Amino acid sequence: MPGSLWSDQDAAHAVETWGPAWGNDFVELVYASRLLGADPTLVSHGGGNSSIKQQEELPGGLAVEALRVKSSGVNLSEILPEDFTRLDLARLRALRSLETLEDTTLVATLKTARLDVDAPFPSVEACLHAFLGETVVLHTHAEAALLLSNQPNGTQLLEEALGERFAVVEYQPPGFRLARAVSAAYEARQQASPDPESSCLGAVVRHHGVFTWAADAKRAYERMLIV
């Protein structure tokens, strides 16, 4: 398990620098994302993604619930506030009721769900982030989890190592199918134990990576280090 790189002093400096323009909670997500990207045991070649759900004000004063998610192709270790794409959260969550969704339709939906039409294309995992009820969601390809999950009895090994704190999800292709699988595991754990401090802290997807979630970026980051 890697040690925590979180520094309250560095986080406060990031908030002081970017907070007035972008908002403190979002800036803490940016800071946590950069920490993940700096750890090669968690993020290989800059991969992974992160998001936060919050109220956003559109031109004209209309407030909407939005998902800010890492844009596609951005290196987490160097990510900046402007490297996230704002999406209409309600529009994405409406997809949760579907059984299937073609990749071409998903791509078109992600494009039209952008609150800024010129924003970069969001991470293909945007629906997964949207379907989860937690405020902050982080995703990495943690080496320790992959080493276990890639074994023939990987599910058993992961369940023994992580206990009830993490759901273990069988591999699904990135995109809509993976989003439904992880959100279903999350929802099942929430029904069994609705207390966020004692219920599921994240999910390990075999042969893919780890997702953690929390009410704030620091806790979501620290939960990633459990794996």
Side-chain angles (χ1 to χ4, degrees):
M1 178 179 71
S4 176
L5 300 176
W6 186 282
S7 162
D8 288 336
Q9 181 177 357
D10 290 345
H13 177 69
V15 167
E16 181 180 355
T17 302
W18 290 324
W22 297 93
N24 295 358
D25 292 343
F26 172 56
V27 168
E28 287 194 351
L29 171 73
V30 178
Y31 174 68
S33 302
R34 292 169 70 95
L35 291 184
L36 292 178
D39 190 336
T41 68
L42 292 174
V43 175
S44 177
H45 307 297
N49 45 67
S50 56
S51 71
I52 188 169
K53 302 173 183 75
Q54 56 188 19
Q55 289 288 317
E56 300 276 355
E57 186 171 311
L58 301 181
L62 177 65
V64 299
E65 194 174 7
L67 176 76
R68 281 188 182 264
V69 65
K70 181 183 95 63
S71 301
S72 180
V74 177
N75 191 317
L76 270 185
S77 65
E78 302 171 351
I79 199 165
L80 298 171
E82 55 265 34
D83 294 324
F84 287 77
T85 298
R86 297 192 307 167
L87 301 169
D88 185 335
L89 183 57
R91 184 162 188 174
L92 296 186
R93 282 182 167 166
L95 302 176
R96 179 65 183 88
S97 62
L98 300 178
E99 293 291 331
T100 61
L101 187 68
E102 295 293 333
D103 288 345
T104 53
T105 305
L106 173 61
V107 169
T109 301
L110 292 177
K111 286 182 178 179
T112 57
R114 291 177 298 179
L115 296 176
D116 306 288
V117 295
D118 295 327
F121 191 76
S123 166
V124 71
E125 307 294 2
C127 280
L128 194 158
H129 289 256
F131 291 171
L132 297 170
E134 304 293 335
T135 302
V136 171
V137 178
L138 304 177
H139 171 44
T140 71
H141 308 112
E143 287 183 352
L146 291 175
L147 285 172
L148 291 179
S149 79
N150 291 342
Q151 302 303 312
N153 59 335
T155 297
Q156 177 185 348
L157 292 174
L158 287 168
E159 290 175 345
E160 291 174 352
L162 299 172
E164 294 297 318
R165 295 175 298 178
F166 284 78
V168 178
V169 179
E170 295 301 319
Y171 177 80
Q172 299 289 338
F176 186 73
R177 287 172 59 184
L178 180 60
R180 288 193 80 249
V182 174
S183 60
Y186 166 80
E187 291 158 8
R189 294 298 186 92
Q190 289 297 105
Q191 291 176 0
S193 177
D195 180 357
E197 295 305 319
S198 62
S199 61
C200 190
L201 307 182
V204 178
V205 180
R206 289 195 62 189
H207 316 299
H208 182 87
V210 181
F211 293 86
T212 58
W213 42 75
D216 58 76
K218 183 177 182 179
R219 278 188 287 179
Y221 168 76
E222 291 173 343
R223 290 174 178 181
M224 187 65 71
L225 305 182
I226 295 174
V227 180

